[in-house]
Amino acid sequence: MVPKPSGSLLSGARKSGIFNGGSGPSSGVSIHDRLSARSRVTNLGVVLLLGFAGFSALLNLRYMLFHRGSSIPQNIIEFGGRTPDSLTASVAPPRTGAEKLNHLVIVTGHAVWAGCDVKGKDNDENWVLEEYQKGGSVKTFYKHIEKGMQLTNEDPNALLVFSGGQTRPNSLQTEAESYYSLALSAELEVPMIAGSLVNLTTGSSSASIGSLAHANAAVATRHGLQDARMTTENYALDSFENLLFSIARFREYTAHYPARITVVGYAFKKARFEDLHAKAVRWNTQGFLHKGERTFQYVGVDDEGLSDSETVAQSRGEKLKAFNLFDKDMYGCHGRLRQKRIERNPTRRFHPYMSSAPEIADLLNWCPAENSGLQGLYPENLPWDARVIGTGWGRGALAVKANSKGNIIPDTRWLQIGREQ
């Protein structure tokens, strides 16, 4: 038989709450009832839950503020900022002499040359045109080609990139390919990489191969065309992409980024490129290289014979239909600018530069809030950021660190990319 507790022991147990949950002798709650009752959340538990919820909210807010649209794309995570091996395995190394190229010359495409005889280059029927381009614009397109070829021939370190995608539903040829074709068939002097086969044969830094090229297909019969200092960028759908994608194509072709850029296009688009597009990619438009060459230059060639009223109308159209839109949406990823890209991509082409220029994958994927303008500029470091002596960091990288008060440390990968200044 189990002995019963003494009165004093029982009394002490009740007072201590062993049998009644600590509520005193008056409650009379048995230990069985106490253990079987529903659990109650203490004040401490509530505080802990609220604290955890608050901390989670702060983390989400920080992520939205500092990572909106700029989180590292999946390919960067997987490829570590490098082109995937499965692609590089089937790509030839850059041409010998390409390592000396540092000047990107861009000729922006506006239409598709569809002629078979270069003598008809000034005729509208040999081009795939928008209605507003008819009546003289094709002469200007050819002048853009001529100017781009001239500038590239004058600088042995220049690479000419014709830029323009497959924008027309009634033509599978890209704007860039058609410009390249016309340049070859027009018997213009083609710039060649120093030491190339054609260069060694002719003893010149350029070659005339137009008479040996089939006009529309741009198929040359001379060996060494692969060493021409000119290529195509076949995916751009607007002027911003002409600039950004041509930089990526330069990287794709040479395995490095340019030190200077010259754009050839309509003169009335100069402000759009210098004040908006160059700023959007954070390219220095006011700098000079050590030999005095400008880091950015825009060469404008407009239609001839326009009346004053036509010139005014042209400028007004540029302001309303392009400049003002890009001023608010500098990356062209919202509203009407986005819709234009969709309309100009009828055959659903995808550019390759996330893989072939992976160092700028974040920039290629950047899309800030709608109508953000300058406030939505890509904030992280870029390969062409000028290095700051004594820090090793580019100015863009330092700006990121300063704006985030040290909470974001730029990726050290970028220290190995781009030019040092």
Side-chain angles (χ1 to χ4, degrees), residues 195-204 206-207 222-224:
S196 68
L197 293 176
V198 173
N199 175 261
L200 291 174
T201 302
T202 63
S204 172
S206 62
R222 184 190 294 272
H223 294 295

Side-chain angles (χ1 to χ4, degrees), residues 67-101:
H67 293 80
R68 44 178 187 150
S70 67
S71 57
I72 297 179
Q74 189 64 30
N75 74 313
I76 288 293
I77 296 173
E78 293 178 354
F79 308 146
R82 296 181 298 275
T83 304
D85 293 339
S86 60
L87 295 182
T88 56
S90 59
V91 176
R95 305 302 299 177
T96 300
E99 70 279 359
K100 298 180 181 179
L101 302 179

Side-chain angles (χ1 to χ4, degrees), residues 320-359:
L320 295 176
K321 297 179 181 180
F323 188 94
N324 287 350
L325 295 179
F326 275 111
D327 190 31
K328 296 178 181 178
D329 179 15
M330 299 188 75
Y331 298 86
C333 55
H334 297 288
R336 181 57 187 145
L337 293 177
R338 176 177 175 272
Q339 186 60 35
K340 283 183 179 180
R341 289 178 182 170
I342 295 173
E343 294 169 358
R344 292 172 179 173
N345 192 13
T347 52
R348 289 177 50 81
R349 295 293 181 181
F350 290 75
H351 72 75
Y353 305 124
M354 300 288 280
S355 294
S356 60
E359 302 90 357

Side-chain angles (χ1 to χ4, degrees), residues 12 23 33 42 51 62 86 110 119 132 155 169 173 208 231 244 316 334 337 341 358 373 385 390 412:
S23 57
D33 292 336
T42 65
R62 181 181 182 275
S86 60
H110 297 91
K119 295 178 181 178
Y132 69 87
D155 182 0
Q173 193 173 33
S208 178
T231 186
L244 178 57
R316 184 181 295 116
H334 297 288
L337 293 177
R341 289 178 182 170
D385 286 342
T412 55

Side-chain angles (χ1 to χ4, degrees), residues 14-17 20-29:
R14 284 174 176 168
K15 288 181 181 179
S16 65
N20 59 25
S23 57
S26 61
S27 64
V29 181

